[in-house]
Amino acid sequence: MRHVTDLPYETTVEDHWIPLADGTRLAARVWRPVDPAPVPAILEYLPYRLSDWTAPRDAQRHPYYAGHGYASVRVDIRGSGNSDGYQDDEYSPTELADGVTVVEWLAAQDWCDGAVGMFGISWGGFNSLQIAALAPEPLKAIVTVCSTDDRYDNDVHFTGGSVLAVDMHAWAATMLAFCSRPPDPAHVGEGWREQWLDRLEHTEPFVHTWLDHQTRDDYWRHGSVIEDYSAISAAVLAVGGWNDPYRDTVLRLAAAGDEGTLRAPVRGLLGPWSHQYPDRGLPPGPAIGFLQETLRWWDHWLKGTDRGVLDDPPLRAWISESVPPATVYDELPGRWVGEPSWPSPHVFARDLPLVADRSDDQPEDALRTTAPTVEALAGGHPVPTSWLVDSPSHTGVDAGRFFPFGNDADLPPDQREEDGRSLCFDSAPLTAPLEILGRARVRLRLTCSAAKGQVVARLCDVGPDGSSTLVTRGVLNLSARHGRDRAVAWTPGATEEVSFELTGTGYALAPGHRLRLAVSSAYWPWVWPQPGDAVLAVAVGDGAVELPVHDRASSHPPVVFEEPEQAPPLGVVFGEGAEPRPERRVVRDVAEGRWLLEVDPRYGGTRTYPDGLEFTEDALERYWIGRDATSARTRSDWTVRLRRAPGDPLPEGMTGGWDASIRTRSEISCDADSFFTENEVVARDGDEVVFERRWTRTIPRTAG
């Protein structure tokens, strides 16, 4: 990493209040050239507190853009950080309308030449796409990183129609804590406490809304730009990582650009990365000169300078080579390819049928299983000759983190134990590399013993030593088999064909390795188990995996990136905080048949900022399950504390320093018919409890 100080423009930084029509003010920080000549503006619009939480990351990129001749702007959305108002949900109509106002306000400033871009990772990538779909005239281009075009089926709430227990719970709990944090009196003045209490009074746990909408209805269609790509007229640079859950959005946007569905050019970039900006150097790498890459984009679309961005391939993708299983990789081996279009002419579909190992007259590239066949399911339901899938309820404890952030325990460990809880089909040892680029599809003829159930498929790279590395996976809630917008119960004992895609990947299996398909009926805590403890039967002779095989010998233009560079760091001091605990810990109660997964998300611990602010946060997520589906339970506990010493910057009259804290608890449990949620917030000003509230809800299980 090179920290750049000799930038072309001398810069300054200013804090502003952006006024909205209803009197609300949004907190903004603007880095821009000292030279008074107007320049284009670039906006990052987030709820994550520009004055502290994202300040270290902001310091890496906003001064860098300003030093290259842009006004780089970071804005806290309504109800977050030091902005007025309160936040009622993710990507609400109010948030997006405010964002349009911010874009227009920037374009009207005397230091802006009228051209505006937007960028962001995750939330900021989401609302960049969504505001682009509202098409404010000044918005000419966006860079959307680790974001989604589909809020229902490619976000943190549902996957394949199933409730994402691991992140429906964890992210709702995180946002309850985040929405409850106070504004900083050093920035908003003596009225900070009244503003905080007003924010707390209007806080509602987001999980209530999310679980109220268990199919793809109008609530989820709002903000899902996949509903109408043609609404987007700004040029789109879509960026993701193969170890980020939103990677399929990049493939879909690249395809929409090639098809002409979007009204402006699209370029896709998919690296080996986790849920991080690609220049930060967090595992897995290699990192790239991402800020330089985005400057090419901004220069072209905001300044009219030809930097060759339209000569870039529509999709640049990293293809990893075979690696042994590990929960972290500093750098993955592999190579970059530039595809001339997406879908690519270098990728072709190959069907791998699922067959019994004893069958000698099957295709050479079939996937074979040694599992015995059955003729009946639980409850006496007769089935065609089939293989049984009856996974233990704790299948999925080795799934890894849904949102890898570059931590030591993020990625899935060796999958052999998970494979042992699944129905597995293996290829013969490969005689040549097998390169996959895109989304595989699984087709099965299934019989299900209950009205509700789900099927999970994983593709694994099995080494000569038997180790199993997860390559990709997918989920289908059987009630969503006819569409995510409806819940259709399965007739117990009936047989139907189902088909579903796995998440995208770029991966090359080595000669001597085997490709494995592992099929399970449970995947806790990634997806919430369906009631009824369904047993599945996979019909012999009717299943296959459709692989997107990449022609390894195809020629590609060279894909080259510069080494990463950033602006100098902010100078935040990170402390040790509480006694460290394992990032991920699995506890098995053998006598009770109960499993517990504990997760420390490691968001930041304790840090001290240059202005003296001490910010401490701690979180612990827990996921329990016993022998049956209705024993599933989750809990998340958060504590956040913000402190300033008496000598730190504070409004006149605040002589005793500042010490504000919040504690939250979030839980979800279930029975066959309902989800039960409990949430709690306790807020303190020093030792005084200034706010306390508890919520309990019973939410019918309409599809989840």
Side-chain angles (χ1 to χ4, degrees):
M1 173 63 63
R2 188 168 80 94
H3 292 125
V4 185
T5 56
D6 55 340
L7 296 173
Y9 289 79
E10 182 184 356
T11 63
T12 185
V13 58
E14 305 163 338
D15 284 349
H16 290 266
W17 294 106
I18 298 178
L20 303 177
D22 63 358
T24 300
R25 303 175 309 161
L26 302 185
R29 184 161 292 169
V30 179
W31 294 260
R32 61 183 180 88
V34 171
D35 187 324
V39 295
I42 309 171
L43 168 65
E44 187 177 23
Y45 178 54
L46 291 170
Y48 299 144
R49 303 178 64 93
L50 66 87
S51 61
D52 45 60
W53 206 74
T54 65
R57 190 181 76 190
D58 296 344
Q60 296 170 340
R61 52 208 68 247
H62 288 281
Y64 183 92
Y65 289 143
H68 285 88
Y70 290 89
S72 196
V73 184
R74 171 72 175 82
V75 175
D76 280 342
I77 69 172
R78 180 190 296 253
S80 68
N82 298 312
S83 291
D84 296 344
Y86 48 89
Q87 188 178 358
D88 54 357
D89 199 357
E90 300 173 314
Y91 327 117
S92 69
T94 300
E95 174 189 333
L96 301 186
D98 289 351
V100 170
T101 299
V102 171
V103 168
E104 293 170 342
W105 182 88
L106 292 174
Q109 301 310 297
D110 57 8
W111 38 259
C112 180
D113 66 6
V116 179
M118 280 190 76
F119 78 96
I121 182 171
S122 198
W123 196 304
F126 283 35
N127 62 27
S128 293
L129 273 173
Q130 293 167 18
I131 291 171
L134 297 176
E137 192 280 329
L139 185 63
K140 309 302 182 186
I142 67 170
V143 176
T144 179
V145 184
C146 296
S147 72
T148 191
D149 57 350
D150 185 347
R151 291 188 56 224
Y152 178 74
D153 212 36
N154 194 193
D155 200 350
V156 300
H157 318 94
F158 296 86
T159 184
S162 286
V163 174
L164 261 170
V166 71
D167 243 60
M168 171 77 81
H169 156 76
W171 189 239
T174 299
M175 286 311 300
L176 180 63
F178 281 14
C179 289
S180 300
R181 296 176 298 187
D184 188 336
H187 295 273
V188 303
E190 291 185 4
W192 73 272
R193 180 162 157 167
E194 290 73 23
Q195 184 177 345
W196 184 28
L197 292 176
D198 180 62
R199 183 178 296 179
L200 290 165
E201 288 289 349
H202 287 93
T203 294
E204 287 289 333
F206 291 179
V207 71
H208 296 164
T209 302
W210 299 343
L211 283 176
D212 279 339
H213 299 272
Q214 293 174 34
T215 57
R216 185 186 179 85
D217 58 12
D218 287 343
Y219 171 78
W220 298 112
R221 292 186 186 101
H222 162 76
S224 293
V225 300
I226 195 174
E227 296 289 324
D228 182 11
Y229 286 136
S230 68
I232 298 175
S233 58
V236 177
L237 176 59
V239 183
W242 293 126
N243 287 289
D244 177 76
Y246 300 143
R247 53 195 180 269
D248 294 335
T249 288
V250 177
L251 299 177
R252 287 191 292 266
L253 288 171
D258 267 0
E259 294 165 357
T261 310
L262 274 84
R263 290 184 284 151
V266 180
R267 291 297 182 268
L269 175 60
L270 272 167
W273 312 299
S274 61
H275 195 70
Q276 293 288 355
Y277 278 121
D279 57 288
R280 298 193 70 196
L282 294 167
I288 65 169
F290 182 64
L291 291 179
Q292 301 98 298
E293 196 64 23
T294 58
L295 271 179
R296 295 176 60 229
W297 192 254
W298 301 132
D299 286 352
H300 183 97
W301 297 108
L302 302 185
K303 291 185 176 180
T305 304
D306 186 359
R307 297 290 304 277
V309 297
L310 293 182
D311 297 327
D312 291 337
L315 178 67
R316 290 170 288 175
W318 176 266
I319 298 181
S320 294
E321 303 291 342
S322 279
V323 287
T327 58
V328 66
Y329 305 93
D330 289 335
E331 288 202 357
L332 287 165
R335 66 190 180 103
W336 287 102
V337 296
E339 299 303 322
S341 61
W342 192 258
S344 171
H346 301 145
V347 176
F348 59 93
R350 178 190 293 175
D351 258 20
L352 280 59
L354 310 181
V355 303
D357 188 56
R358 64 182 179 273
S359 181
D360 297 324
D361 58 348
Q362 296 294 340
E364 191 173 300
D365 58 356
L367 301 181
R368 300 170 181 267
T369 183
T370 58
T373 58
V374 297
E375 303 293 338
L377 273 179
H381 300 296
V383 297
T385 302
S386 300
W387 297 290
L388 199 65
V389 184
D390 188 10
S391 304
S393 59
H394 64 280
T395 304
V397 293
D398 284 340
R401 187 172 182 173
F402 183 75
F403 267 109
F405 274 89
N407 293 335
D408 289 343
D410 276 0
L411 304 183
D414 196 320
Q415 295 290 285
R416 276 182 279 195
E417 290 188 39
E418 299 281 52
D419 295 348
R421 298 186 273 261
S422 307
L423 170 65
C424 292
F425 301 85
D426 289 358
S427 71
L430 300 173
T431 58
L434 175 62
E435 199 157 272
I436 306 168
L437 181 61
R439 300 190 70 181
R441 177 175 288 274
V442 173
R443 303 194 307 271
L444 302 170
R445 189 166 177 80
L446 281 184
T447 309
C448 182
S449 67
K452 295 183 177 182
Q454 55 205 0
V455 59
V456 180
R458 291 176 293 113
L459 288 182
C460 297
D461 172 9
V462 181
D465 63 353
S467 61
S468 181
T469 301
L470 183 68
V471 176
T472 183
R473 56 194 149 191
V475 177
L476 177 65
N477 180 344
L478 296 182
S479 72
R481 66 196 182 279
H482 298 305
R484 306 297 193 261
D485 60 342
R486 71 202 79 170
V488 180
W490 196 285
T491 301
T495 301
E496 294 188 35
E497 293 183 0
V498 299
S499 174
F500 58 103
E501 285 186 306
L502 313 187
T503 51
T505 188
Y507 193 91
L509 283 79
H513 289 226
R514 291 173 290 146
L515 178 68
R516 172 171 292 164
L517 170 69
V519 180
S520 65
S521 55
Y523 208 52
W524 174 260
W526 270 51
V527 293
W528 204 278
Q530 292 287 326
D533 297 309
V535 178
L536 307 179
V538 177
V540 172
D542 286 312
V545 174
E546 182 183 301
L547 280 186
V549 176
H550 184 259
D551 181 1
R552 194 175 177 90
S554 58
S555 61
H556 298 82
V559 176
V560 180
F561 299 100
E562 297 180 48
E563 291 300 310
E565 60 183 35
Q566 297 171 349
L570 182 62
V572 174
V573 177
F574 290 84
E576 292 298 324
E579 183 70 22
R581 53 181 177 237
E583 288 182 32
R584 298 181 71 85
R585 186 170 73 111
V586 178
V587 180
R588 179 185 182 187
D589 185 328
V590 176
E592 296 294 328
R594 185 165 52 241
W595 294 71
L596 164 65
L597 173 64
E598 288 187 342
V599 179
D600 182 341
R602 304 254 173 128
Y603 277 121
T606 298
R607 54 266 202 197
T608 304
Y609 292 80
D611 67 355
L613 174 69
E614 182 182 287
F615 191 118
T616 301
E617 63 186 0
D618 181 67
L620 181 65
E621 303 164 14
R622 284 172 282 185
Y623 306 89
W624 291 268
I625 198 159
R627 293 188 176 94
D628 66 88
T630 56
S631 63
R633 180 166 66 93
T634 67
R635 174 168 173 158
S636 179
D637 293 271
W638 273 83
T639 58
V640 179
R641 186 180 187 186
L642 295 93
R643 293 193 292 178
R644 290 187 179 278
D648 292 340
L650 285 169
E652 187 175 346
M654 287 186 66
T655 57
W658 179 56
D659 187 351
S661 63
I662 59 105
R663 176 180 59 80
T664 67
R665 174 183 60 85
S666 302
E667 298 188 48
I668 307 176
S669 58
C670 70
D671 63 15
D673 302 313
S674 302
F675 290 108
F676 308 103
T677 66
E678 295 184 25
N679 290 274
E680 177 183 55
V681 174
V682 179
R684 287 182 169 83
D685 179 5
D687 293 330
E688 179 190 358
V689 174
V690 295
F691 181 87
E692 188 169 6
R693 186 174 177 187
R694 294 174 180 82
W695 300 260
T696 60
R697 280 280 305 274
T698 298
I699 301 171
R701 296 184 70 166
T702 56

